[in-house]
Amino acid sequence: MTRVVVNPGVCGKNVTIEVEKVGKRGVRVNITSDCNMVNEMGESLNEVDQWDVFKPPIDSPFYKCALHCRLHAACPIPMAIIKAIEVEAGLAVPRPVSLTFETVD
């Protein structure tokens, strides 16, 4: 099982994503969050095909679900779900992802 803990930023709604391989191509996604919209997304996804991570955003079940669940366009949760699935499926190695804001004069 792969677990990703996300601090999505200013909203302060912490998120834990757990992904577990099921069968040959399937992965089960479990999300726990302080955010009702993110929890709804987790319930909607439940089990998906690991190869869906390679679909472009317009065809991605993760971004379609985020849209349906009314997540903010800048919410990092769909990307975090995709990264967790890639790691659990052996399609990527676990590496930290971050954004660093810098003030430029």
Side-chain angles (χ1 to χ4, degrees):
M1 179 179 55
T2 298
R3 177 179 293 141
V4 176
V5 177
V6 183
N7 174 350
V10 71
C11 71
K13 307 282 187 177
N14 294 315
V15 179
T16 301
I17 301 165
E18 295 179 339
V19 177
E20 184 176 11
K21 190 110 166 93
V22 180
K24 196 170 188 176
R25 295 174 47 144
V27 289
R28 184 171 296 120
V29 178
N30 183 42
I31 299 175
T32 306
S33 176
D34 301 332
C35 176
N36 292 333
M37 293 177 287
V38 171
N39 284 329
E40 182 183 345
M41 184 174 179
E43 291 169 8
S44 297
L45 287 174
N46 193 18
E47 196 170 313
V48 295
D49 187 309
Q50 70 186 24
W51 297 106
D52 286 343
V53 299
F54 295 114
K55 291 183 176 178
I58 195 165
D59 297 323
S60 168
F62 312 106
Y63 286 102
K64 285 180 178 180
C65 189
L67 177 66
H68 174 77
C69 295
R70 302 164 316 282
L71 269 62
H72 185 277
C75 180
I77 302 308
M79 176 276 305
I81 293 168
I82 292 169
K83 289 291 196 183
I85 292 171
E86 288 177 338
V87 170
E88 180 65 13
L91 303 170
V93 294
R95 293 288 186 265
V97 177
S98 68
L99 295 171
T100 303
F101 294 93
E102 299 176 351
T103 302
V104 180
D105 294 330

